[in-house]
Structure formats: C-alpha cells, structure tokens
Amino acid sequence: MANFRFTALEKTLDRPIPKVEHPKLKIAEYFGSMVFNQSVMREYLTEEAFSVVMKAVEEGERIERKITDQIASAMKAWAMGKGVTHYTHWFHPLTGSTAEKHDAFINPLDGGRAIEDFQGGSLIQQEPDASSFPSGGIRSTFEARGYTAWDPTSPAFIMEHTLCIPTIFVSYTGESLDYKTPLLKSMKALNDVAADVCKYFDKNVNKVYPTLGWEQEYFLVDMALFSARPDLVLTGKTVFGHSSAKDQQLSDHYFGTIHSRALAFMQELEIESHKLGVPLKTRHNEVAPSQFECAPVYEEANIAVDHNQLLMHLLDKVARKHHFKVLLHEKPYAGVNGSGKHNNYSLATDTGVNLLSPGKNTKDNFRFLTILVNILKAVHDNEELVRASIASAGNDLRLGANEAPPAIISVFIGEQITRTLDEIEKMPSRQAMNHNNSKNVSLDIPKIPEILLDNTDRNRTSPFAFTGNKFEFRAVGSSANTAKPMFVLNTILTDQLYQFKQDVDQLIKEGNKKDDAIFNVMKRYIIESKNIRFEGNSYSEEWESEAAKRGLSNHRTAPEALKAFISKKSVEIFSKHNVLSETELMARHEIKLEKYIKKIQIEARVMGDLAINHILPTAILYQNRLIENAKGLKEVLDSKSYVKLSRNQLNTIKEISDHIASVKDDVLSIVAERKKANNIEDVYEKAMAYKNNVTVYFEIIRYHVDKLELLIDDELWPLPKYREMLFIK
Ligand code: ADP
Ligand code: MG
C-alpha cells in the first residue's frame, strides 16, 4: 500500500527557505505602491475630479458620469504603467471569501487590431452572471442578474497584474448579496446619529466613523503534509489525529523566537501587504505550536475589513511559495488552541478624536463615559445579536472550550471604570460629579488615563473587553469576514445612540440643562445595563450559572445563535436604520444555516471516507500481522508458554477488532442520520438534526480512530500525525 505520509514527511526535511524578494527600499518607499490612493489620484486626476472623489469618499456624494470616465482613464493609465492587463470588480459575496471576474482592457478595432480601453461605465457598474452565489432565494436563477457597484471609499489596487476595484454586490431588485453593503449602510447610519450625539460635546464634529484593528490568528502546515491529509484539504481541519505527546503544555511557542521558515514567510507576507497598503505591524508566535498572529495598525472599518479579506488571500498566496498551507479554520487541531480574529473597535471623529479615549479633562471624560455607557447598553440590549454575529460551525468548536470566550456575551471594563460607573450610579446629580474634590480618585476623572492603560487588558477571558481606548471583541472566528460583527456593532450602537439622543432631548425639553440631561440618562443606562458587565473569569463554571441567573443567553451552537438575526427586534432595528430589510435578513439567515449544514455534511463524508478507506484497511492489515504472529507463536511454543507469552498479542488483536467494529458501526449510523436529516424540509430543524444527531458521532468515531493510531505500527499509519504536522521543520 502506498504510504503518502512518508513521502510527504521526506519532502518536509531540509526544505530550502525560498529567497524573500525584498524591494530593497525603505518600507515607506514601497508602502501603498500598488494602490490607487490619494497621492496617485492627485497625480493622475484633474483638480476638479480629485475633489469630486474626495467628496464622494468623505461625504458620500455621487460622482457624475463625466468624472467617472476621467477616473477610469486615470486608473487605466496608472495600472498599465505597472504592467496591468486586466481589471476586475472585487467583492465579498456571502460565501465568505472574495470574488473576482477579470476582463481585459481591450476593445477590438477594425483590421484585427485592438486598443486598451476602460470606461467610467465599467468602473462604476458590472453585471457578473453571478447566479451561483448564495442569495437565500432573493434572486431566482432565471433572474440571475446581480450587479456590482464601485465603492469609492475603498481604493482600487493591483494584484497579479490585475486592477481590483472594491465593489458592493446587490441583486437586480436592490437587495444586498454581500458583506460590504450592510457594512457601508451601517456606517452611514452610525455617522448620522453619532455625529449628532457628539455635537452635545463639540459643535465642530461633523463625521463619526468606526475604526477597526483586527488581529488575525492562523496555523502554518507544510504543504506536503497538508496534501496527505484529505480532511485538511476538504474541510480545513483534521477530523482525526491523536494528540502529540508534547504540544502546547510548556507554553514554549507563545511569543517564542519565530522559526526561520515561518519568518521568511512572514517577511514576504508583510512586503506584499505593505505594497497593497495593508498596514501590517505586528507578528508573533501564538499559543499552539505552528500557530501565529499578525495585526495591522487600525483603520476606518470599511478599509480595515477589505484589508483583512485581502490579507487572508495573501496569506494563502504567499504560503504557496514557501511550501506552506495556511489554516484559517477556527479549530484545525483538537486538543490545542484554535484561532480567532480579535476585532478592536472604536469610534473616531473628523476632529481627530478617538471617542473611546479617556480625555484629559472632565469635559472630555464626560463625552468618553457617555459613549462607553451607550456601548454597554447597546451590547446589553442586543447580546443575542452580538453572539449571532460571530456564529459559525467552526467557531462553535472554539467558543467556551477554555481557550476562547464562552458563548455568553459579557463586557469587561476593568476596575477603574467599574468604580467610576458605580459612583455615578450612587450620585444624586451631575453637580456632585463636578464638585467632587480630589479626595475621590475615581471621580477625579482626569486621572483615569494613566491608571487605565495599565490596568485594563488583564482579563483575557472576556469576549468583549475594554482595553484602554477601544473595545476588543475577541469571539470573532479566524476565518470570518469581519464585516459582519462590524455591521452588527455599528447597527446596535446606532440604535442605542438614537435612543440616547431622544432621551436626552426629552429631558432638555422638560427644562433640564443639557449636561444634567446627559448625566441622568447615562446614570439610568448604567443601571439598566449592569447585567452585561462581568469582570471575573469568563471560562469558569460559576460564570455560566451566574449568567443564567442574570438572564443572559448561552447559545452553544450556531443554528441556535443565528435565530437572533430574524427576531422581531432585529428586524426592527436593521430596517429602521436602513441596514438590512426583513427579506435580506431572512435570506442571510437561511444562507448561514445552509452553510452550516453543508459544512457538517462535508465533514461527515470526509470522516466516513477516511475511516472506511484509509483507517480500517490499515487496521485490518496490522491485525492480520498480529494474527500471523500469534499463529507462529503457537507453532513454536509449547502450549503453556504460548498461553503466557501470546497474551499481549491476543489482547491487542481483540482491542483492534473492537475499535474496527465500532468505527464501522458508527460510520453506518452517521450515514443513516445524515439521510434522515436530509429529508427534513425546514432548514433550522435540519441544521439542528445535523448538530444533534450527526455531529455527536464525530467524537465517537474519532475516539476509536485515535485509539487505533496508538495501537497500529507507525510504519503503516497513512495520515501525517499531529506531532509531524504541528512542528515546523
Ligand atoms: P495588544 O492588544 O496586542 O496589546 P494593542 O492594544 O496595541 O495590542 O492593539 C491591538 C490592535 O488594536 C491593533 O490592531 C491596533 O491597531 C488596534 N487599535 C488600537 N487603537 C485602536 C482604535 N482606536 N480603534 C480600533 N483599533 C485600535
Ligand atoms: Mg489585543
């Protein structure tokens, strides 16, 4: 029997480290060199066109056709100067990855010649025949037209000789079929409301936008080993594999020296990212062996989301050259940490203020506390939606497994702010806050910053933690499109600030001073949102029971969590702020459930195939060897010695036989359960059937296969083992 494992293992030995193609320039000299950014536009556009684009970017104004022609022609000239031959609209359909359809810059002429051509019309709109993208029934295939439309707020870029133009993707009837549309709409909604709220504190604020700094975790595995594991190839995770004697127990990988093979990969990744304007800044080893993280400097959320999608693409592309495969699955290996994508979130103003940065004076801190408390209230009132925003089959394996936050959403704010909020809660009026003298440190608000920055980031177990000048949403899955948690946060915060504005204005109307009105509403919100605050160990069992007492949800599985998207309340919030209509929410909900079902279906099939066609034949082969051996012993030994000496072999034969029988039975059961589940019409019921009746066999089958791995001769085992995959050679 061919054993690909050994061929693969041999390939990993002495892999030469590919030469990193360094531009031999300072980073600043090539940063953004492949981006049609502001400075390129200044160079290539007329003054008029440039200011129109800037207005579109900053104020969302429409761009006239005449100007788009000019922009298209500038883009073409710039891109052709860099060897570009094709252009594509680049969008984020609901598959979760990015989509492209390339067209050449050509227009045939008479006489068999052609000229390069790219008009404004092709820049602003395209109609890909995109009938195979998930649409949740919004767009039936006979009416397959959907169109992509240019998003001028995210700059075009060049990748592999192709000009990529970030676009939204909507159905012909106007429903969004992507992640970017609701994100942009949520940013507009948030801006409209938040700018008004900011005006309570500073009349000069005209624009408020969310900022996002993601931290991306991933695993690297040698390409040859990856290819010898059909489960990794088809599902992104290992369905079998006994744990390695040593993995992460010694915490010797976390922040350790980066292996030179991994480092060369990272350097090349950074160079490619920097050329595309992705401001990667941080790289380090993560907890599990061969697990890593990279993080950029934060950006405006729409750009940051595009950059994260781009980075996930680059990870894969650069890895190929370095004979690695990047695993973005949330739980590629059982028994060691999985991967997440922390989303650092804040709000910024056009006056250059980070609204979650505690100010240097009482006035600024009043503004800071107002925003902070509104976020607490928004998460409190919509905790189920926040949970739903990160739900996926992969993330189910990570949440609540003592390595990532639980499925319960709570907010950590740290001791200092807790104390401040507690004191505000007890204060009869705002005057008490101002007249408080320096004895009272926690209310001497200007003193917060220094203490704060040192004291916050302590609690690593919280899913949503305030970390000094931003919130860190830590429950996002590593493979997720971050637009989703972002548009959910933006929308619930929009709704909350909208309510806040109404509440404050009402009190002002009743004769209260503005600051008193703000104070009183804030105080009420602090009390009302108290249940969402948790400073303790979120991984503990006590928290689970405490959270249940508080009435917080604990949806352990994606199908249960996803329900929140179609609740009456969600439909109201999303439609009120014009982010997603009821039809769109229903469609998305269905797509998500379908995806969940398909992922489990694929995993079950892969497991069945590996078990029956790879593992059992190996087990039987080894079993036969042991049987031959026992027979031989019987021939050469006297019967007394035989009974004594063959005991171990006979026991092993029996053990192997038991595991073989169990695997066979369980695979038959899983097939039967899948068939039953497939007959269920209702998509939610079907997803739950997959969850309850199919996934239960995953662990059982795995248990027996992993036991077989321990019993069978290493020479025969067909799949690369954990100890071989987890350590980079
Ligand atoms: P760590 O969490 O590892 O201590 P930092 O707190 O410095 O590191 O930053 C983590 C991430 O948070 C980075 O991507 C950073 O850009 C981002 N970040 C910092 N400030 C903000 C902000 N105001 N808005 C959004 N993200 C931010
Ligand atoms: Mg962090």
Side-chain angles (χ1 to χ4, degrees):
M1 195 163 35
N3 192 326
F4 293 116
R5 173 170 154 239
F6 287 101
T7 331
L9 277 171
E10 248 170 59
K11 281 194 188 157
T12 68
L13 295 174
D14 305 319
R15 279 262 198 230
I17 297 176
K19 202 167 142 30
V20 176
E21 272 168 48
H22 199 278
K24 300 204 172 56
L25 294 167
K26 291 182 196 147
I27 296 181
E29 287 170 315
Y30 61 88
F31 188 85
S33 59
M34 291 299 182
V35 185
F36 193 70
N37 54 26
Q38 267 191 45
S39 63
V40 178
M41 282 195 270
R42 242 182 232 290
E43 190 184 326
Y44 280 81
L45 294 177
T46 60
E47 194 65 39
E48 187 203 3
F50 180 75
S51 70
V52 170
V53 177
M54 285 296 109
K55 259 198 142 50
V57 172
E58 277 152 22
E59 293 158 34
E61 279 195 18
R62 287 193 96 79
I63 304 179
E64 280 175 51
R65 183 57 196 268
K66 186 180 80 179
I67 303 284
T68 57
D69 276 339
Q70 207 191 112
I71 298 166
S73 129
M75 273 187 190
K76 185 187 71 178
W78 168 74
M80 279 172 53
K82 290 182 178 289
V84 168
T85 54
H86 286 65
Y87 66 93
T88 178
H89 278 195
W90 182 80
F91 55 104
H92 310 189
L94 295 169
T95 51
S97 40
T98 50
E100 305 161 14
K101 175 178 158 252
H102 299 197
D103 283 299
F105 280 144
I106 57 161
N107 199 5
L109 297 177
D110 289 344
R113 291 171 307 128
I115 52 159
E116 268 88 13
D117 188 39
F118 181 54
Q119 305 282 336
S122 310
L123 165 66
I124 55 175
Q125 191 170 320
Q126 293 263 292
E127 278 188 34
D129 172 18
S131 51
S132 295
F133 285 118
S135 71
I138 284 178
R139 198 188 28 150
S140 43
T141 23
F142 60 84
E143 229 270 71
R145 285 191 296 177
Y147 62 91
T148 51
W150 180 35
D151 165 19
T153 60
S154 183
F157 55 90
I158 296 170
M159 208 162 46
E160 315 207 42
H161 304 287
T162 306
L163 174 67
C164 301
I165 299 154
T167 60
I168 58 165
F169 178 43
V170 290
S171 77
Y172 204 67
T173 41
E175 282 99 358
S176 60
L177 297 168
D178 68 345
Y179 286 98
K180 194 191 257 286
T181 312
L183 176 65
L184 290 174
K185 286 181 165 181
S186 74
M187 286 172 61
K188 180 179 181 318
L190 181 61
N191 175 48
D192 291 348
V193 178
D196 276 352
V197 168
C198 284
K199 285 199 164 74
Y200 285 144
F201 305 96
D202 179 0
K203 290 261 174 288
N204 297 319
V205 173
N206 286 311
K207 190 179 168 186
V208 174
Y209 56 93
T211 52
L212 164 64
W214 40 263
E215 299 165 58
Q216 177 74 54
E217 291 179 342
Y218 60 92
F219 279 86
L220 286 177
V221 62
D222 189 277
M223 186 52 114
L225 297 173
F226 169 83
S227 307
R229 292 277 321 207
D231 48 356
L232 275 185
V233 174
L234 298 178
T235 69
K237 63 170 277 201
T238 53
V239 299
F240 301 134
H242 196 279
S243 56
S244 165
K246 172 185 183 293
D247 47 48
Q248 65 185 39
Q249 308 93 318
L250 303 177
S251 300
D252 49 354
H253 191 256
Y254 191 52
F255 281 22
T257 309
I258 303 172
H259 189 291
S260 46
R261 244 190 101 186
L263 189 61
F265 158 76
M266 290 178 189
Q267 284 166 341
E268 191 132 0
L269 174 74
E270 286 163 7
I271 292 166
E272 292 298 313
S273 300
H274 290 159
K275 283 187 201 161
L276 286 165
V278 181
L280 276 193
K281 188 167 172 73
T282 309
R283 62 184 183 215
H284 64 79
N285 285 2
E286 258 303 328
V287 172
S290 76
Q291 189 187 26
F292 305 92
E293 178 182 301
C294 63
V297 177
Y298 70 93
E299 299 172 284
E300 180 258 344
N302 179 38
I303 310 258
V305 166
D306 278 359
H307 281 168
N308 183 243
Q309 290 296 113
L310 201 48
L311 176 98
M312 291 197 283
H313 175 86
L314 288 178
L315 278 170
D316 196 59
K317 186 186 133 191
V318 175
R320 232 159 248 281
K321 175 173 162 193
H322 289 257
H323 309 291
F324 280 129
K325 185 72 193 175
V326 167
L327 306 179
L328 285 173
H329 193 284
E330 281 74 17
K331 193 75 184 173
Y333 302 103
V336 297
N337 277 19
S339 300
K341 173 150 48 201
H342 294 178
N343 278 206
N344 295 272
Y345 177 80
S346 188
L347 300 180
T349 67
D350 59 345
T351 51
V353 172
N354 171 5
L355 292 174
L356 284 175
S357 192
K360 293 199 168 45
N361 53 47
T362 313
K363 190 170 141 271
D364 284 352
N365 275 325
F366 194 28
R367 184 255 303 138
F368 158 71
L369 287 171
T370 302
I371 301 295
L372 181 106
V373 168
N374 271 288
I375 294 181
L376 284 176
K377 182 78 162 60
V379 177
H380 173 270
D381 291 0
N382 300 285
E383 45 101 3
E384 288 193 275
L385 203 47
V386 174
R387 164 68 181 94
S389 77
I390 45 118
S392 69
N395 222 11
D396 278 358
L397 303 170
R398 195 175 75 98
L399 298 180
N402 268 320
E403 56 169 87
I408 308 162
I409 298 296
S410 65
V411 186
F412 168 87
I413 53 173
E415 209 183 302
Q416 283 298 318
I417 298 187
T418 301
R419 211 180 306 154
T420 307
L421 298 193
D422 287 350
E423 301 213 8
I424 292 178
E425 195 186 317
K426 287 192 215 104
M427 279 161 47
S429 70
R430 182 180 61 90
Q431 265 69 24
M433 180 161 103
N434 280 347
H435 295 157
N436 220 295
N437 55 39
S438 56
K439 280 202 309 262
N440 198 335
V441 175
S442 67
L443 280 179
D444 187 9
I445 293 175
K447 285 219 173 108
I448 290 178
E450 306 97 276
I451 320 169
L452 220 158
L453 289 169
D454 285 349
N455 271 292
T456 44
D457 208 12
R458 296 274 185 261
N459 189 334
R460 303 301 298 172
T461 66
S462 175
F464 202 91
F466 182 72
T467 52
N469 54 7
K470 63 193 186 285
F471 275 98
E472 187 169 341
F473 188 14
R474 301 199 181 108
V476 185
S478 47
S479 66
N481 183 318
T482 53
K484 193 176 199 184
M486 287 298 106
F487 75 66
V488 166
L489 288 182
N490 292 342
T491 309
I492 62 173
L493 188 54
T494 301
D495 196 56
Q496 179 51 50
L497 290 172
Y498 181 84
Q499 188 59 48
F500 175 74
K501 178 96 179 29
Q502 285 199 325
D503 291 345
V504 170
D505 287 351
Q506 180 61 32
L507 289 185
I508 295 174
K509 220 189 311 157
E510 288 167 12
N512 291 284
K513 279 198 182 132
K514 184 186 72 186
D515 284 356
D516 292 328
I518 296 172
F519 180 84
N520 288 330
V521 174
M522 177 163 84
K523 182 172 155 180
R524 172 157 67 82
Y525 287 177
I526 290 173
I527 298 166
E528 288 172 356
S529 65
K530 235 175 160 173
N531 270 346
I532 202 71
R533 275 155 56 186
F534 182 62
E535 300 287 302
N537 177 6
S538 303
Y539 294 179
S540 68
E541 275 171 33
E542 294 81 61
W543 171 231
E544 247 193 274
S545 44
E546 165 69 16
K549 277 194 215 125
R550 292 190 193 183
L552 297 176
S553 70
N554 185 4
H555 299 304
R556 285 163 213 275
T557 69
E560 290 162 289
L562 287 168
K563 267 190 179 171
F565 264 115
I566 50 165
S567 71
K568 197 162 160 277
K569 191 168 145 203
S570 295
V571 171
E572 252 172 50
I573 293 181
F574 278 111
S575 40
K576 178 169 156 195
H577 302 290
N578 189 32
V579 176
L580 288 166
S581 68
E582 183 169 5
T583 315
E584 289 171 320
L585 283 166
M586 292 298 193
R588 271 158 206 265
H589 179 249
E590 193 180 304
I591 291 168
K592 260 302 211 189
L593 285 177
E594 289 280 358
K595 188 164 172 186
Y596 177 88
I597 292 167
K598 283 175 190 154
K599 288 229 155 159
I600 293 183
Q601 208 168 45
I602 293 169
E603 196 171 322
R605 284 182 182 157
V606 168
M607 204 172 217
D609 168 37
L610 280 186
I612 302 297
N613 304 317
H614 297 233
I615 306 299
L616 292 193
T618 311
I620 291 166
L621 193 72
Y622 186 58
Q623 189 190 36
N624 283 341
R625 276 197 200 166
L626 293 179
I627 291 170
E628 283 305 309
N629 174 266
K631 277 189 196 157
L633 286 179
K634 197 166 195 171
E635 264 174 40
V636 298
L637 297 174
D638 61 81
S639 62
K640 204 169 149 217
S641 317
Y642 175 73
V643 170
K644 194 173 157 213
L645 296 172
S646 66
R647 209 180 53 229
N648 276 333
Q649 278 90 324
L650 295 178
N651 276 344
T652 310
I653 292 169
K654 201 173 156 307
E655 262 184 83
I656 291 177
S657 309
D658 283 347
H659 290 306
I660 291 176
S662 300
V663 169
K664 186 96 200 183
D665 284 349
D666 294 332
V667 168
L668 288 176
S669 305
I670 213 173
V671 173
E673 288 300 341
R674 261 169 47 211
K675 282 204 175 120
K676 268 197 252 166
N678 288 344
N679 284 328
I680 300 173
E681 274 293 315
D682 181 85
V683 65
Y684 174 75
E685 295 301 331
K686 189 168 169 177
M688 287 310 285
Y690 264 95
K691 171 71 217 166
N692 293 329
N693 310 331
V694 176
T695 64
V696 283
Y697 284 102
F698 288 176
E699 268 182 49
I700 304 175
I701 297 175
R702 177 173 194 138
Y703 170 82
H704 293 292
V705 170
D706 290 356
K707 284 284 176 206
L708 285 171
E709 184 185 324
L710 290 187
L711 290 168
I712 289 169
D713 183 355
D714 183 68
E715 285 272 324
L716 298 177
W717 195 254
L719 301 173
K721 295 185 172 182
Y722 269 28
R723 62 161 191 266
E724 293 155 351
M725 291 187 289
L726 276 170
F727 298 93
I728 292 171
K729 283 179 272 305

